[in-house]
Amino acid sequence: AYGLYARARLAARAVTLHPAPRALLPPPPSSPPGGPLRFWGSYRPHVYFGMKTRSPRSLVAGLMWMHQLEGDVRLRHVCEQSDGLPRYGWLLHDGTHFGVQEIRDVGLSLQTEFVKRPGGRHGGDWSWRVTVRPERTGPQAPIVSLLFYVATDGQGALQPLVEGKSRLRALTGTTEELGDFSLTFQQPTDEAGAAPLYASYNYLQAKAEGLHRLTEVVKASLTPRFSYGPPGTPQRRYFGVDVYRGGPPGGGEPRSQLLVHQVTVALPCRLEVVFESGSFAGRPGPLAGEALTQELERHRAAFEQRFEDTFGLAAKGYSLQQQQFAKAALSNMLGGMGYFYGQSLVRSPHTDHPQLYPEGSLFTAVPSRSFFPRGFLWDEGFHQLLLGRWDPALSQEVLAHWLDLMNAEGWIPREQILGEEARTKVPAEFVVQDTSAGNPPTLFLALQQLMAHGGGEASFLERLFPRLESWYQWYNETQAGPEPYTFRWRGRDREAERFLNPKTLTSGLDDYPRASHPSPDERHLDLRCWMAVASAVMANVASRVKKPAGEYRRMAEALADNALLDRHHWAGALGTFADYGNHTLAVALERERLRLPPPGQPLPTPQLVRVVRKPPKLQFVGGALGYVSLFPLLLQLLHPDSPRLGSLLADMRSEKKLWTPFGLRSLSRTSPFYLKHNTEHDPPYWRGPVWVNINYLAVRALHHYGQLAGPFQQQAAALYQELRANLVSNIYRQYVESGYLWEQYNDRTGQGQGCYPFTGWSALVVLMMAEEY
Ligand code: 6A9
């Protein structure tokens, strides 16, 4: 419709950052780029234990370990579900100063601790302590190898200090942001740190193609030609790092300098690593041994106190084990925070091919360290509901980072795959982000909560405001529905005939059933409710920063108008709220019938395809009672005396529909889509299982309605208690039994399922325990 020139301009706009001043405050002068306190951190959530700085091409440090079992070498490094670890995660982590992690492997367990010490001009010092103990599970590992590494990423230099033939005793180095530094590997000791232990040492110096190749480089350098044995005992062979002969041809220029210190030792043992910043003058002494123990103790005590002050779980009578569980949930969200840098790949309607987005940085929590170790837009709003309570300043930084990734159109990419390490975890077909794709604007929820709890200073809101306005406008314009005050998710699955019900990934609820035939006539109830919240929060922010709020207020009122809501979404015949669209329930997946090919040609494999037995028509979407239907309640748009509230409460409490002893299931058992595959290879996802983020909204809403006078007050208050107790006890029980928090919970057995550990929004269980909403 428009000329080539206009198209090129629009294409450029899609990959141009928003012109408003940055939301993120620049760091104070003469401090490292990420500010002094949060410069170094465990910001590599995808590895079991690692640190980096919050800067684009950071030096990284990390740990790998190996069982030295006869004929069975397992190198652990990147968190992989296929490693099958019985449990791992942070037991304590305050997001800033220190962390204590427990890793149970088969036959042994590791405790990995770090603590930082501020000083100097480059982010200060830090130390690690790794304690390894035998475990009575599986084959006993008589000896273990710990591989500590340091690697550069395209800048800086490292010099090894090697002792004897192969012991990397220390290294010194320089990078742009760290200046000069040194790193020392202490002698291994027994687990109390009292007596030195006999050990064998190996050392590797190599050039890697990039940080994403570190595991491969170390694996490729291993040989079994080494032996371990204290004097007077038999020697045993083990695998050690030896020589790396370079990567695969065409692997690119090496941009990483890698140094590996391998210690092979008997269990139990303890090792410490000491990083010292060159500009830190007058430190009291090395942060090792007794000094390290004392610092860890000091931070642990401060954490315990702050945790109780913030969430009050001891005061509420929770058992010690339950409190430890809650501490681990919070700590894992904090310890799961990452700092990513790189470029997204985006598709817009204005070009034929994906384009590179500008380089950007993202400081964010992640849904899952093993499976989804990267930022997801709507997940993050939920994460910040918890983190904002713990550390409002941290939450502010995260929100600012996300908003600074906005393009000139006001769009923020939904899934952030920044940098090569992040990309190795994502299959190619999921990498490209579409500029017409939204995701629930949950950052408004987080902002609303921050404002209510002391994190809404005017200066902060002023920095955000121009970007919030554009973001809001982006939804309002690009996701508008067919009539005023209605909304529609763009980006539903195209080839509808391939799916039982075409998915709506942008809504976050993926395969939750919607209109069978995607069309511009659709009205999506959940998006409308999200927009009601967004409008109300925008009105509040605008008035706090003394900008015109009238238009937002008017919109918020219109979207919360219960009569209008009824007109657009109350499906009288279905007795519930619903989406509207071109819909038929007479669909099924069937094996396609293929003609026989001419003789001699191979038989094609018949696929499952959708057959439509009755043509769709415009109507409310039947057969889809579940989370979407509850949205007017979940986001608290219903008047306390609305009869609709009574009816949703009844649907919630009905065991034939949404109620389970483990929380609310996502889709009613009465729905024809309940636990149905969407294709042969697409098992049900948001079609039955219990999801914690939506259950959190439900608990929070019941708490709200339980406090407002009205005909349903008692019922809401009772349901609040019951639902909350069910969720907390099941998530806790599953954690104790399986060692993890999970992506979802089975609606018939309560068992955790999907990916693990999933300490993203499932960690909202802490707020439910604390009754903080
Ligand atoms: C797949 C496969 C190693 C799906 O928690 C993140 C999102 C949620 O935002 C969304 O609501 N999860 C939920 O329906 C996980 C999405 C993963 C998509 C990428 C790549 C990687 O395999």
Side-chain angles (χ1 to χ4, degrees), residues 367 371-372 374 376 378-379 415 425-427 430 439 508-510 685-686 691 743 758 761:
F371 239 65
F372 313 122
R374 53 187 176 274
F376 285 83
W378 90 302
D379 295 64
E415 186 174 343
K425 285 267 184 175
V426 190
F430 293 104
N439 204 204
L509 307 175
D510 296 20
Y685 202 35
W686 294 83
W691 291 78
E743 185 185 26
F758 189 101
W761 57 44

Coordinates of all heavy atoms in Angstrom, one line a residue, residues 367 371-372 374 376 378-379 415 425-427 430 439 508-510 685-686 691 743 758 761, ligand 1:
P367 N 12.6 -17.8 34.3 CA 11.7 -18.8 34.7 C 12.4 -20.0 35.2 O 12.0 -20.6 36.2 CB 10.8 -19.1 33.5 CG 11.1 -17.9 32.5 CD 12.4 -17.4 32.9
F371 N 15.9 -24.8 31.7 CA 15.2 -24.9 30.5 C 14.9 -23.5 29.8 O 15.0 -23.4 28.6 CB 13.8 -25.6 30.7 CG 13.7 -26.8 29.8 CD1 14.5 -27.9 30.0 CD2 12.8 -26.8 28.8 CE1 14.4 -29.0 29.2 CE2 12.7 -28.0 28.0 CZ 13.5 -29.0 28.2
F372 N 14.7 -22.5 30.6 CA 14.4 -21.2 30.1 C 15.3 -20.2 30.8 O 14.8 -19.3 31.5 CB 12.9 -20.8 30.3 CG 12.0 -21.9 29.8 CD1 11.0 -22.4 30.7 CD2 12.0 -22.4 28.6 CE1 10.1 -23.4 30.4 CE2 11.1 -23.4 28.2 CZ 10.2 -23.9 29.1
R374 N 16.5 -17.3 30.5 CA 16.5 -16.0 29.8 C 15.3 -15.3 30.2 O 14.4 -15.8 30.9 CB 16.6 -16.2 28.3 CG 15.5 -17.2 27.7 CD 15.7 -17.5 26.3 NE 14.7 -18.5 25.8 CZ 14.8 -19.8 25.9 NH1 15.9 -20.3 26.4 NH2 13.8 -20.6 25.5
F376 N 11.6 -13.5 30.0 CA 10.3 -13.6 29.4 C 9.5 -12.4 30.0 O 9.4 -12.3 31.2 CB 9.6 -14.9 29.7 CG 10.2 -16.1 29.0 CD1 11.3 -16.7 29.4 CD2 9.6 -16.5 27.8 CE1 11.8 -17.8 28.7 CE2 10.1 -17.6 27.1 CZ 11.2 -18.3 27.6
W378 N 6.2 -11.5 30.3 CA 5.1 -11.5 31.3 C 5.5 -12.3 32.5 O 5.0 -12.1 33.6 CB 3.7 -12.0 30.7 CG 3.4 -13.5 30.7 CD1 4.1 -14.5 30.1 CD2 2.2 -14.1 31.2 NE1 3.4 -15.6 30.2 CE2 2.3 -15.4 30.9 CE3 1.1 -13.6 31.9 CZ2 1.3 -16.3 31.3 CZ3 0.1 -14.5 32.3 CH2 0.2 -15.8 32.0
D379 N 6.4 -13.3 32.4 CA 6.9 -13.9 33.6 C 7.5 -12.9 34.5 O 7.4 -13.0 35.7 CB 8.0 -14.9 33.2 CG 7.5 -16.1 32.4 OD1 7.1 -15.9 31.3 OD2 7.6 -17.3 32.9
E415 N 10.3 -12.6 24.3 CA 11.3 -13.6 24.8 C 12.7 -13.0 24.4 O 12.9 -12.7 23.3 CB 11.1 -14.9 24.1 CG 12.0 -16.0 24.7 CD 11.6 -17.4 24.1 OE1 10.5 -17.5 23.6 OE2 12.4 -18.3 24.3
K425 N 20.5 -22.3 24.0 CA 19.5 -23.0 24.7 C 18.1 -23.0 23.9 O 17.1 -23.5 24.4 CB 19.2 -22.4 26.1 CG 20.3 -22.8 27.1 CD 19.9 -24.0 27.9 CE 20.9 -24.3 29.0 NZ 20.4 -25.4 29.8
V426 N 18.1 -22.4 22.7 CA 16.9 -22.2 22.0 C 16.9 -22.8 20.6 O 17.8 -22.4 19.8 CB 16.5 -20.7 21.9 CG1 15.1 -20.5 21.4 CG2 16.7 -20.0 23.3
P427 N 16.0 -23.7 20.3 CA 15.9 -24.2 18.9 C 15.6 -23.0 18.0 O 14.9 -22.1 18.3 CB 14.7 -25.1 19.0 CG 14.4 -25.4 20.4 CD 14.9 -24.2 21.2
F430 N 12.4 -20.9 17.4 CA 11.8 -20.1 18.4 C 12.6 -18.8 18.6 O 12.2 -18.0 19.5 CB 11.8 -20.8 19.8 CG 10.9 -22.0 19.8 CD1 11.4 -23.3 19.7 CD2 9.5 -21.8 20.0 CE1 10.5 -24.4 19.8 CE2 8.6 -22.9 20.0 CZ 9.1 -24.2 19.9
N439 N 2.3 -9.7 24.8 CA 2.4 -10.6 25.9 C 1.8 -9.8 27.1 O 1.8 -8.6 27.0 CB 3.9 -10.9 26.2 CG 4.2 -12.3 26.9 OD1 5.2 -12.4 27.6 ND2 3.3 -13.2 26.7
G508 N 0.4 -15.7 26.5 CA 1.0 -16.4 27.6 C 0.3 -17.7 28.0 O 0.9 -18.6 28.7
L509 N -0.9 -17.9 27.5 CA -1.7 -19.1 27.9 C -1.7 -20.1 26.7 O -2.5 -21.0 26.7 CB -3.1 -18.7 28.2 CG -3.2 -17.6 29.3 CD1 -4.7 -17.2 29.5 CD2 -2.7 -18.1 30.6
D510 N -0.7 -19.9 25.8 CA -0.4 -20.8 24.7 C -1.6 -21.6 24.1 O -2.3 -21.1 23.2 CB 0.7 -21.8 25.1 CG 2.0 -21.1 25.5 OD1 2.0 -19.9 25.7 OD2 3.0 -21.8 25.4
Y685 N -1.1 -28.3 27.7 CA -0.2 -27.4 28.5 C -1.1 -26.5 29.4 O -1.0 -26.7 30.6 CB 0.6 -26.6 27.5 CG 1.9 -26.0 27.9 CD1 2.8 -26.7 28.8 CD2 2.3 -24.8 27.4 CE1 4.0 -26.1 29.1 CE2 3.6 -24.2 27.7 CZ 4.4 -24.9 28.6 OH 5.6 -24.3 28.9
W686 N -1.8 -25.6 28.9 CA -2.8 -24.8 29.7 C -4.2 -25.4 29.5 O -5.1 -24.7 29.3 CB -2.7 -23.3 29.2 CG -1.4 -22.6 29.5 CD1 -0.3 -22.7 28.7 CD2 -1.1 -21.8 30.6 NE1 0.7 -21.9 29.3 CE2 0.2 -21.3 30.5 CE3 -1.8 -21.4 31.8 CZ2 0.9 -20.5 31.4 CZ3 -1.2 -20.5 32.7 CH2 0.1 -20.1 32.5
W691 N -1.4 -24.0 37.4 CA -0.3 -23.0 37.2 C -0.3 -22.0 38.4 O -1.3 -21.5 38.7 CB -0.4 -22.3 35.9 CG -0.2 -23.1 34.6 CD1 -1.1 -24.0 34.1 CD2 1.0 -23.2 33.8 NE1 -0.6 -24.6 33.0 CE2 0.7 -24.1 32.8 CE3 2.2 -22.5 33.8 CZ2 1.6 -24.4 31.8 CZ3 3.1 -22.8 32.8 CH2 2.8 -23.7 31.8
E743 N 7.3 -26.2 36.9 CA 6.6 -25.3 36.0 C 5.0 -25.3 36.2 O 4.4 -24.3 36.2 CB 6.9 -25.7 34.6 CG 6.4 -24.7 33.5 CD 6.7 -25.2 32.1 OE1 6.8 -26.4 31.9 OE2 6.7 -24.4 31.2
F758 N 11.9 -24.8 38.3 CA 11.1 -23.6 37.7 C 10.8 -22.7 38.9 O 9.8 -22.8 39.6 CB 9.9 -24.1 37.0 CG 9.2 -23.0 36.2 CD1 9.3 -22.9 34.9 CD2 8.4 -22.0 36.9 CE1 8.7 -21.9 34.1 CE2 7.8 -21.0 36.1 CZ 7.9 -21.0 34.8
W761 N 7.7 -17.9 38.4 CA 6.4 -17.5 39.1 C 6.0 -18.6 40.2 O 5.2 -18.2 41.0 CB 5.3 -17.1 38.2 CG 4.9 -18.1 37.1 CD1 4.7 -19.5 37.3 CD2 4.7 -17.9 35.8 NE1 4.3 -20.1 36.1 CE2 4.3 -19.1 35.2 CE3 4.7 -16.7 34.9 CZ2 4.0 -19.2 33.8 CZ3 4.4 -16.9 33.6 CH2 4.0 -18.1 33.0
Ligands
6A9_1 C1 10.7 -23.0 23.8 C2 12.4 -24.7 24.0 C3 15.3 -26.1 25.7 C4 5.6 -21.2 28.3 O1 7.9 -19.4 31.3 C5 8.2 -19.0 30.0 C6 7.0 -19.3 29.1 C7 5.7 -18.6 29.6 O2 5.9 -17.2 29.4 C8 4.5 -19.0 28.9 O3 3.4 -18.5 29.5 N1 6.8 -20.8 29.0 C9 4.4 -20.5 28.9 O4 3.2 -20.9 28.3 C10 8.0 -21.4 28.4 C11 8.2 -21.1 27.0 C12 9.3 -21.6 26.3 C13 9.3 -21.3 24.8 C14 10.6 -21.5 24.1 C15 12.1 -23.3 23.5 C16 13.7 -24.6 24.7 O5 14.1 -25.9 25.0

